[in-house]
């Protein structure tokens, strides 16, 4: 028997009612395994698979009872949706799946919609930022975006942190202060660097001029003609509160900007 399933690439499902997520599997090493988990549970109508976190979240509702959120290609997430489960019976022993539609969304290298947590322009010395974030998805992405400006307008980041309010001693990011990095930030993802022009654009790791409380390394970027992004996802529990914090520093005038978001 063939069961039709729709596949939405580079997206995740955010239900209007978080309680409709009835299962969240970890150590799922392929999208096929996630799809099978959803197929084998007759309650499952929609599933989100995160390749980076190797998680598979199952939901008991259709797509019209939530929203599809586009995520950057490099985070490699997919949404599966069974539009008609009435054809599935408990006597079925062998199955195959057929993809009925595939929607591919490319990553936008523009700044539309960025800056929901913080937007910085103009020159500012090392400054501490902190925000309490209530998780709405299981694998949120902390995203930094650097826009425009001449080479003299440079953004620096250091000592980034994400911790649960209930467990403040457990760091949820890998390599949060960039100390494990050399020329590029290990465990972080950079994208849209090709939209920048000029030497040194697109983000790099440096060992001088960093914040003095967090080791030797920090991240720096300028993007003369476009936007470049730095991000990392972490595992969260929907409804729980997380403290997002970091130090930032920006040189030069108001043409170049720093934007920070949770996506």
């Amino acid at each position: 028997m063939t069961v039709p399933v729709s596949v939405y690439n580079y997206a995740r499902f955010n239900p209007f009612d978080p309680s409709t997520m009835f299962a969240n599997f970890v150590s799922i090493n392929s999208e096929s395994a996630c799809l099978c988990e959803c197929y084998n549970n007759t309650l499952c109508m929609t599933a989100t698979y995160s390749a980076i976190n190797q998680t598979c979240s199952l939901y008991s509702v259709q797509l019209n009872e939530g929203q599809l959120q586009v995520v950057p290609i490099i985070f490699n997430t997919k949404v599966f949706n069974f539009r008609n489960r009435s054809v599935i019976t408990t006597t079925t022993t062998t199955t195959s799946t057929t993809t009925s539609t595939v929607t591919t969304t490319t990553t936008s290298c523009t700044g539309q919609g960025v800056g929901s947590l913080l937007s910085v322009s103009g020159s500012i010395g090392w400054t501490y930022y902190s925000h309490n974030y209530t998780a709405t998805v299981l694998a949120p992405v902390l995203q930094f975006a650097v826009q425009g400006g001449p080479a003299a307008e440079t953004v620096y980041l250091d000592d980034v942190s994400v911790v649960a309010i209930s467990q403040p001693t457990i760091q949820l990011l890998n390599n949060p202060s960039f100390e494990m990095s050399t020329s590029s930030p290990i465990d972080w993802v950079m994208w849209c660097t090709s939209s920048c022009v000029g030497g040194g654009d697109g983000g790099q790791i440096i060992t001088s001029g960093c914040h003095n409380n967090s080791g030797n390394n920090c991240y720096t970027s300028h993007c003369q003609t476009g936007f470049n992004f730095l991000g990392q996802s972490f595992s969260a529990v929907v409804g729980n509160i997380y403290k997002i914090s970091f130090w930032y520093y920006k040189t030069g005038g108001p043409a170049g900007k720093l934007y920070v978001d949770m996506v």
Side-chain angles (χ1 to χ4, degrees):
M1 182 179 67
T2 299
V3 180
V5 57
S6 296
V7 182
Y8 299 87
N9 294 320
Y10 318 121
R12 68 179 169 215
F13 179 62
N14 296 329
F16 297 135
D17 180 1
S19 67
T20 58
M21 185 192 73
F22 64 88
N24 181 46
F25 298 98
V26 297
S27 300
I28 303 296
N29 59 13
S30 73
E31 59 191 67
S32 297
C34 181
L35 182 59
C36 287
E37 292 289 355
C38 186
Y39 173 80
N40 289 331
N41 192 315
T42 56
L43 287 177
C44 184
M45 300 294 180
T46 306
T48 296
Y49 175 66
S50 170
I52 286 184
N53 291 343
Q54 294 191 332
T55 57
C56 177
S57 306
L58 307 187
Y59 302 89
S60 60
V61 294
Q62 292 286 355
L63 294 180
N64 62 357
E65 296 184 57
Q67 294 179 328
L68 278 179
Q69 179 183 358
V70 176
V71 297
I73 288 175
I74 38 75
F75 288 104
N76 194 14
T77 62
K78 293 180 183 288
V79 171
F80 305 109
N81 177 239
F82 289 98
R83 292 179 294 173
N84 182 9
R85 296 216 61 151
S86 61
V87 297
I88 301 173
T89 65
T90 57
T91 58
T92 301
T93 57
T94 60
T95 63
S96 63
T97 58
T98 300
T99 300
S100 57
T101 60
V102 178
T103 301
T104 302
T105 306
T106 58
T107 298
S108 172
C109 291
T110 69
Q112 183 177 3
V114 298
S116 59
L117 292 187
L118 179 67
S119 177
V120 178
S121 62
S123 178
I124 185 170
W126 280 110
T127 302
Y128 178 73
Y129 175 86
S130 176
H131 173 79
N132 286 346
Y133 161 74
T134 301
T136 58
V137 295
L138 294 170
V141 176
L142 176 59
Q143 172 184 287
F144 299 92
V146 177
Q147 176 203 8
E153 297 197 27
T154 302
V155 169
Y156 300 81
L157 292 173
D158 209 346
D159 203 17
V160 187
S161 175
V162 176
V163 297
I165 294 296
S166 60
Q167 296 178 299
T169 61
I170 300 177
Q171 179 58 243
L172 300 178
L173 296 179
N174 295 317
N175 192 22
S177 296
F178 310 106
E179 293 305 308
M180 295 169 56
S181 307
T182 52
S183 59
S184 60
I186 294 173
D187 290 321
W188 292 81
V189 180
M190 299 190 297
W191 66 100
C192 292
T193 57
S194 61
S195 69
C196 306
V197 297
D201 284 355
Q204 59 184 323
I205 298 299
I206 61 172
T207 58
S208 62
C210 300
H211 186 248
N212 56 14
N213 289 335
S214 58
N216 297 321
N217 293 0
C218 59
Y219 172 84
T220 182
S221 175
H222 72 274
C223 190
Q224 192 164 327
T225 60
F227 287 80
N228 71 278
F229 296 84
L230 174 76
Q232 186 176 151
S233 65
F234 60 93
S235 297
V237 177
V238 173
N240 282 10
I241 301 174
Y242 298 85
K243 182 180 179 181
I244 313 296
S245 64
F246 54 89
W247 286 86
Y248 68 95
Y249 163 42
K250 182 183 176 299
T251 63
K257 295 177 176 62
L258 167 68
Y259 302 100
V260 186
D261 296 86
M262 295 298 305
V263 299

